[in-house]
Amino acid sequence: MDKLIITAAMVGAEVTRETQPNLPITPDEIAAAALACREAGASICHLHVRFDDGTPTQDRERFRETIAAIEAKSDIIVQVSTGGAVGMQPEERLQPVTLSPEMATLTCGTVNFGDEVFWNSPDLLKQFATELKRYGVRPEFEIFDAGMVANALNLVRQGFVEPPLHFDFVLGVPGALPASAKNLLYLTELLPEGATWSVAGVGRQQLPMAALAVTLGGHVRVGFEDNIYYRKGELATSNAQLVARVARIAAELDRPLATPDEARALLGIQKR
Ligand code: KMH
Ligand code: ZN
């Protein structure tokens, strides 16, 4: 098995300080959280940013400031979100890509998202893939539902994305594919030879999905974007606490962790 890549999704667009008082918001808070996650074993941070009042934004300048703060403290790979928050327009969502970060997400279809709709039309997928290629950014396909794998592979077939391919299964969003061992296995079986994958279980599924990925040879995403609890009824004290638990599980199962440079090599990313 490859060494384990842990991605820390520390901020997201939906979580608030009211529900998770330890949510990092400002560039300095996010950079400190990224450093703590790196020290706990993460090699990628999946990045959303907020204005000081906590409002989610895809503002280019806010991303620039936050990425600079993260990079000043650690060598963690920065993976910007192009999903942003539900309802944002494509041009708004694409702003951080123009900073040529090492990685960015690419959600592969439209999906119900709680009571809302996360809009990703076929044209939008091609537009986003084209922009990622233009700015030399490695995509991570975000898969919320099974049909999205076929959409991703269509992009590859049509030349919009080139291997090596990396997928992240986000399982358990209300309205999308539930998190279960059966669903995870099914998704992994759809992937072509050589593709890598990680899983982000939502809410209380974060931990069992992570443990499954460690044993199956996949990779893991944890953090407040998908889950704010350490265990039932107990809020996590930090994103790093969630990363550290996965690192301990991996150590028990003899799965060494990938450093950021080792993750770059696995994912085909040229270091900036
Ligand atoms: N906030 C969700 C609507 C991504 O980062 O690329 C979308 C999302 C996906 O978080
Ligand atoms: Zn996200």
Side-chain angles (χ1 to χ4, degrees):
M1 281 185 199
D2 291 332
K3 288 189 176 178
L4 178 70
I5 300 171
I6 303 177
T7 298
M10 308 172 295
V11 184
E14 292 81 25
V15 182
T16 64
R17 272 271 167 86
E18 285 67 51
T19 56
Q20 176 38 280
N22 304 307
L23 179 73
I25 287 179
T26 66
D28 283 348
E29 288 167 356
I30 293 173
L35 174 61
C37 287
R38 166 74 182 97
E39 288 173 345
S43 46
I44 300 178
C45 65
H46 167 68
L47 186 64
H48 287 254
V49 302
R50 307 286 183 101
F51 287 128
D52 284 343
D53 68 357
T55 312
T57 176
Q58 290 291 101
D59 181 68
R60 184 180 193 274
E61 182 52 28
R62 192 67 169 183
F63 264 98
R64 196 197 55 70
E65 224 184 306
T66 309
I67 293 170
I70 293 170
E71 289 180 347
K73 284 188 192 302
S74 90
D75 59 349
I76 198 165
I77 298 168
V78 175
Q79 175 197 86
V80 303
S81 168
T82 64
V86 166
M88 287 179 176
Q89 295 306 303
E91 281 65 29
E92 191 180 2
R93 287 167 53 182
L94 278 170
Q95 290 177 73
V97 172
T98 65
L99 297 165
S100 289
E102 290 188 294
M103 274 186 107
T105 54
L106 175 49
T107 297
C108 293
T110 298
V111 64
N112 287 352
F113 197 92
D115 293 331
E116 300 178 293
V117 177
F118 182 29
W119 181 258
N120 297 285
S121 69
D123 278 351
L124 182 146
L125 266 53
K126 289 179 192 159
Q127 179 193 1
F128 278 34
T130 302
E131 291 304 294
L132 293 188
K133 201 184 239 192
R134 173 143 79 112
Y135 287 98
V137 185
R138 202 75 225 140
E140 174 180 275
F141 294 121
E142 299 302 305
I143 306 298
F144 290 76
D145 221 333
M148 291 192 191
V149 176
N151 294 343
L153 297 179
N154 273 337
L155 288 175
V156 177
R157 216 168 291 119
Q158 293 167 3
F160 288 97
V161 177
E162 269 117 45
L165 309 178
H166 183 59
F167 293 76
D168 180 45
F169 304 126
V170 185
L171 301 184
V173 170
L177 192 64
S180 70
K182 205 170 179 178
N183 286 343
L184 180 61
L185 277 174
Y186 171 64
L187 290 171
T188 63
E189 284 163 8
L190 300 176
L191 302 188
E193 192 67 36
T196 51
W197 61 270
S198 66
V199 65
V202 173
R204 66 193 158 87
Q205 294 299 335
Q206 186 166 83
L207 182 58
M209 289 297 115
L212 270 174
V214 174
T215 54
L216 291 172
H219 304 281
V220 172
R221 175 171 119 176
V222 291
F224 292 168
E225 173 161 347
D226 309 314
N227 163 49
I228 58 175
Y229 290 98
Y230 188 72
R231 59 171 69 87
K232 191 170 167 33
E234 184 184 323
L235 286 172
T237 54
S238 66
N239 280 286
Q241 186 192 25
L242 297 171
V243 172
R245 177 166 57 182
V246 176
R248 287 197 303 276
I249 291 169
E252 287 293 335
L253 292 167
D254 263 337
R255 180 108 189 258
L257 303 183
T259 63
D261 277 348
E262 287 167 340
R264 286 181 178 98
L266 284 171
L267 302 174
I269 297 170
Q270 305 291 333
K271 193 171 186 175
R272 296 264 188 265

